[in-house]
Amino acid sequence: MTTQTARPKPVIRLGDRVFARSTLIAGSLILVALAAVAIFLIVEAIPALGADPKELKGSPSSFWTYVGPLAFGTVWAAFLALLIAVPLATGIALFISHYAPRRLAQGLAYVIDLLAAVPSVVFGLWGIKVLAPAVQPVYAWLTDNLGWFPLFAGPVSGTGRTILTVAIVLAVMILPIITAMAREVFLQTPKLHEEAALALGATRWEMVRMAVIPFGRSGLVSASILGLGRALGETMAVAMVLSPSTVISFVLLQSENPNTIASNIALNFPEAHGTGVNVLIATGLILFVITFAVNFIARAIVARRKEFSGAN
């Protein structure tokens, strides 16, 4: 008759116990803060949903006709910024990770990362004082020569403070986020894959196209969505550069441009009172939902191919 000796219980050290509890509390605090923000927005937004249209700026027929152009402008400006930033960031990341000499790559990466430290107000001043006057003649040329294309229809803005200028400013602002993540993902491509492609006779570009880009595709998508989230919530730069109107328009070069939710809140909150404050908070709730949906889509895309993602 054999006797089984009881296995000794693992000893959990005090440091491990404190660390485990600390991480649990930190994770819980994030959820609590997110829930608190959502509850605050919902409670404060309820009075605005049934507000008298006369209390809304611009006298729209309802709250939804008021927030519709703002939501459109928010998504449209962020989409244009992403359209400009993603190809540029991808090219910079590939150059730093696979083409540039090490010393040049380190310096260039440092300069790109420095852009993330520049305040939004500085980008706004640059956009309104430097970029807008510089691109206005280009806009006039586009309207004169390509005005038949709906996006470039006239009349052209005389100041250059258009939705396209805002998109360029936002693209520069989100460039460091996308570039940094894409660079790290591309650098994690297995050397065996790269060397195998080169051994089979592939050129440097063919190796990048067949080995590096497929490996980092999902990471690049998640980086792009993070940049999109930053562009959706940007406030000061948009408020300073854009010449806003309550319109829904895809035209890029006119003086009447759709405003964004964040910019509208920043411009109108100092003068808001009563139900007007609730209306602005309700538009903030719409922005919260849009941002949450963007992040949810990003996680879903990354999770589909997480085994190939350098971001996970």
Side-chain angles (χ1 to χ4, degrees):
M1 187 174 181
T2 59
T3 59
Q4 294 182 351
T5 58
R7 293 183 179 179
K9 294 182 179 180
V11 179
I12 301 178
R13 298 181 179 180
L14 178 61
D16 295 336
R17 194 174 303 167
V18 171
F19 180 75
R21 295 288 175 84
S22 300
T23 54
L24 177 62
I25 292 173
S28 302
L29 285 177
I30 294 176
L31 296 178
V32 170
L34 185 63
V37 171
I39 292 172
F40 166 77
L41 291 175
I42 293 172
V43 171
E44 294 294 329
I46 290 176
L49 300 180
D52 188 349
K54 296 180 180 179
E55 300 180 8
L56 302 177
K57 186 176 180 180
S59 300
S61 58
S62 67
F63 168 77
W64 299 108
T65 56
Y66 170 76
V67 75
L70 298 176
F72 169 81
T74 301
V75 176
W76 180 230
F79 172 76
L80 290 174
L82 204 64
L83 203 61
I84 298 171
V86 170
L88 186 59
T90 304
I92 295 173
L94 287 173
F95 177 74
I96 292 174
S97 61
H98 287 83
Y99 286 91
R102 179 172 299 180
R103 187 171 298 178
L104 176 61
Q106 291 176 349
L108 184 58
Y110 180 74
V111 171
I112 295 296
D113 292 341
L114 270 181
L115 287 176
V118 178
S120 300
V121 175
V122 175
F123 280 111
L125 290 173
W126 171 73
I128 194 174
K129 294 293 185 180
V130 178
L131 181 62
V135 297
Q136 199 281 330
V138 179
Y139 293 170
W141 184 89
L142 288 174
T143 302
D144 293 338
N145 295 274
L146 299 175
W148 52 268
F149 190 62
L151 293 180
F152 301 141
V156 67
S157 170
T159 61
R161 298 172 58 185
T162 69
I163 194 71
L164 182 57
T165 306
V166 169
I168 296 173
V169 173
L170 291 177
V172 175
M173 295 180 69
I174 67 177
L175 190 65
I177 300 174
I178 304 175
T179 302
M181 289 192 63
R183 181 181 71 238
E184 295 303 319
V185 171
F186 293 152
L187 285 173
Q188 292 183 23
T189 305
K191 292 295 181 182
L192 183 61
H193 294 182
E194 299 179 2
E195 293 172 358
L198 294 173
L200 291 173
T203 62
R204 179 71 64 89
W205 161 242
E206 289 172 339
M207 179 271 293
V208 168
R209 182 169 55 87
M210 294 187 297
V212 178
I213 294 179
F215 177 84
R217 184 178 293 119
S218 57
L220 181 61
V221 170
S222 62
S224 303
I225 299 299
L226 284 178
L228 177 61
R230 169 70 191 279
L232 287 171
E234 179 52 42
T235 304
M236 288 308 302
V238 178
M240 295 173 67
V241 176
L242 187 64
S243 177
S245 300
T246 310
V247 297
I248 296 178
S249 174
F250 288 97
V251 181
L252 302 177
L253 310 179
Q254 294 183 357
S255 58
E256 292 188 352
N257 305 278
N259 202 358
T260 67
I261 293 177
S263 173
N264 182 70
I265 293 175
L267 293 174
N268 293 300
F269 194 82
E271 302 176 356
H273 61 278
T275 308
V277 176
N278 298 105
V279 170
L280 294 178
I281 294 176
T283 60
L285 176 61
I286 301 299
L287 180 60
F288 181 83
V289 173
I290 293 174
T291 307
F292 183 82
V294 166
N295 283 275
F296 180 80
I297 293 172
R299 294 308 306 170
I301 293 174
V302 173
R304 286 179 57 189
R305 295 185 60 194
K306 63 181 180 180
E307 65 272 16
F308 300 109
S309 175
N312 284 335

